[in-house]
Amino acid sequence: MKRFAFVALCLLFVLSACGAPTTEKSLSELAEALAASQPEPEVYFNQLTPQDALYELKLQNSYHLDIDYVEDGIILYGSGMEAYEIALFLLPASADQQQAVEALQGYISDRTADFYGYAPEQTALLEQAAVESAGRYVALLICADTDAAQAAFADCFDYTAGTILPAEPSAELDENGYVVYRQPGEADMTVYDTGGIVSAYRSGEDAALSEQDKEILRVCEEAISAVIREGMTDYEKELAIHDWIIQWADYDRGAFADKAGENASNPYGILVDRKGICLGYATTFDLFMQLLDIQTQLVVGASFHSSEDHAWNMVLLDGAWYCVDVTWDDQITWDQLSEQDAAIEWQAMDHALHQYFNVTSEFMRLSDHQWDYDAVPEATETKYAYPHS
């Protein structure tokens, strides 16, 4: 459920068959040399070795390498919201090196999908990620300076560094030339029922609501009171709510390590916990639109060549539909700013914060969104594209 880079298909280097490269360094020493080659080696502050309980899980579940297929290994990585990662593996003499290379290429593609759209800086890091191999050694390099890491790896052996980059996921197209949509189904995309909250808002009676829904309604009422003014057009109301959500909540960084909060997919996460994932953003925006009597539709679809579950919204303004992706407008770099810096940077970041506000369906397709194209209205108008005056 996560979003902006394509990984280039680039198989640029094959090692010479004139003898297998060798090294006298241990895996720990190799990892230390690779980390030391980077401008900020301290980002690799986590370490896993075969002695750690999580090592085997990482090997099998993330890299899809059988534990019996790897003789030894070491993994260095950063926090869950960062893509930084260096992994080194020593394979048995009988192992198929290409199989290990392809597995690590697949991991880079999967990791790119995790960050795709949500964290452009981390996705860019993955764009330049590489897999190196030398003799029985295979290295995964997700680094700020891939060239330096490759050079450091080569220096430990007796060959000149090459680059094996991950292959771009193939995009199957339909008869219209659109990327074929298949719901990935990796995440629970059940939409939270906000009908009771809408009824309570309109009637002024919240006694029938659960305590959770009462809290959701309370924050909604406070937000509407704060940013909605009499005489506003539907466009102005929509924009005010879009910007309020971005400033109020943050993308749940735990999602990058599959540890999103229990309410991350519903309005409680966004409004009360002040963090959530795409379905939380989309259901929250949808709820506000209903409260403000703006016709809306929530779209549950996918991104990154239909490999990641994703959700966004559509609104109807003056009889025309527009697409809105609040999540992708709230990139995680935004929540790293202090409140004072955010106020200063808001104008400078204006375009980035509204890149997916009131755009066409074609724009969404070109920015790697997929959905059931026949079941959703086609947005073609640009009158209310941002900025509109």
Side-chain angles (χ1 to χ4, degrees):
M1 299 169 63
K2 313 156 194 86
R3 61 199 207 225
F4 196 32
F6 291 96
V7 186
L9 174 59
C10 199
L11 211 40
L12 300 177
F13 185 86
V14 178
L15 292 173
S16 169
C18 302
T22 59
T23 182
E24 296 181 355
K25 293 183 180 293
S26 67
L27 283 179
S28 293
E29 290 171 331
L30 285 171
E32 182 178 345
L34 294 177
S37 73
Q38 297 304 295
E40 297 180 281
E42 65 275 8
V43 300
Y44 300 97
F45 60 87
N46 291 305
Q47 176 176 302
L48 290 177
T49 66
Q51 288 70 47
D52 297 305
L54 292 177
Y55 173 82
E56 184 173 344
L57 289 175
K58 179 75 171 177
L59 206 67
Q60 295 179 331
N61 296 344
S62 297
Y63 300 136
H64 301 294
L65 292 172
D66 191 289
I67 189 67
D68 296 328
Y69 188 79
V70 177
E71 189 172 298
D72 197 7
I74 185 170
I75 304 166
L76 306 180
Y77 60 100
S79 68
M81 64 158 291
E82 295 177 330
Y84 296 106
E85 193 165 348
I86 292 171
L88 287 156
F89 299 110
L90 175 63
L91 308 180
S94 60
D96 181 350
Q97 184 190 73
Q98 185 58 30
Q99 182 180 336
V101 168
E102 291 175 359
L104 294 179
Q105 289 173 337
Y107 173 75
I108 293 173
S109 181
D110 291 343
R111 195 65 171 144
T112 304
D114 287 340
F115 287 102
Y116 192 84
Y118 303 90
E121 292 178 0
Q122 301 306 313
T123 307
L125 197 69
L126 285 151
E127 274 192 302
Q128 62 180 15
V131 178
E132 281 280 348
S133 62
R136 294 167 56 198
Y137 294 85
V138 178
L140 167 71
L141 307 174
I142 306 177
C143 308
D145 189 341
T146 306
D147 289 342
Q150 289 174 295
F153 184 77
D155 285 346
C156 296
F157 294 89
D158 54 1
Y159 84 102
T160 302
T163 307
I164 306 175
L165 295 176
E168 178 184 346
S170 59
E172 182 184 352
L173 305 181
D174 64 15
E175 64 276 9
N176 297 312
Y178 305 159
V179 175
V180 171
Y181 167 67
R182 296 186 181 90
Q183 188 64 44
E186 295 186 353
D188 182 0
M189 300 299 283
T190 304
V191 177
Y192 190 83
D193 184 4
T194 58
I197 300 172
V198 175
S199 297
Y201 179 79
R202 291 173 178 167
S203 68
E205 297 291 337
D206 67 357
L209 295 180
S210 66
E211 290 304 312
Q212 176 164 305
D213 283 354
K214 286 179 182 178
E215 280 294 288
I216 292 173
L217 177 58
R218 176 186 62 80
V219 181
C220 282
E221 290 175 331
E222 292 176 356
I224 289 172
S225 176
V227 302
I228 302 301
R229 298 285 178 264
E230 186 176 352
M232 275 185 165
T233 65
D234 284 350
Y235 167 83
E236 291 169 335
K237 293 175 183 177
E238 177 206 6
L239 178 61
I241 292 299
H242 170 278
D243 290 359
W244 180 88
I245 292 174
I246 288 177
Q247 295 182 72
W248 177 262
D250 296 329
Y251 189 81
D252 189 340
R253 302 182 187 186
F256 296 119
D258 296 322
K259 295 179 181 178
E262 62 177 328
N263 291 301
S265 294
N266 66 59
Y268 190 91
I270 295 293
L271 298 171
V272 181
D273 296 336
R274 299 183 68 167
K275 61 181 180 179
I277 58 178
C278 64
L279 190 56
Y281 278 87
T283 52
T284 300
F285 184 82
D286 181 83
L287 173 58
F288 273 115
M289 294 302 99
Q290 291 186 67
L291 298 180
L292 296 170
D293 294 319
I294 298 173
Q295 191 169 341
T296 181
Q297 182 165 337
L298 192 152
V299 182
V300 175
S303 66
F304 200 63
H305 296 357
S306 284
S307 67
E308 283 289 317
D309 294 287
H310 191 44
W312 60 93
N313 305 88
M314 298 187 75
V315 295
L316 189 67
L317 301 174
D318 289 350
W321 287 100
Y322 297 83
C323 301
V324 185
D325 191 339
V326 185
T327 320
W328 282 22
D329 277 340
D330 193 15
Q331 298 170 0
I332 65 167
T333 50
W334 173 250
D335 65 23
Q336 296 170 7
L337 296 172
S338 68
E339 186 172 339
Q340 181 178 0
D341 288 342
I344 295 172
E345 292 292 331
W346 180 269
Q347 292 300 323
M349 297 172 67
D350 189 63
H351 174 71
L353 292 164
H354 300 93
Q355 187 173 356
Y356 300 94
F357 182 79
N358 287 0
V359 297
T360 64
S361 296
E362 183 63 15
F363 180 90
M364 297 292 273
R365 283 189 286 267
L366 291 173
S367 60
D368 207 6
H369 290 71
Q370 297 84 44
W371 64 93
D372 185 345
Y373 306 112
D374 294 329
V376 175
E378 183 77 2
T380 60
E381 294 295 326
T382 59
K383 176 181 178 181
Y384 289 108
Y386 186 86
H388 168 78
S389 57

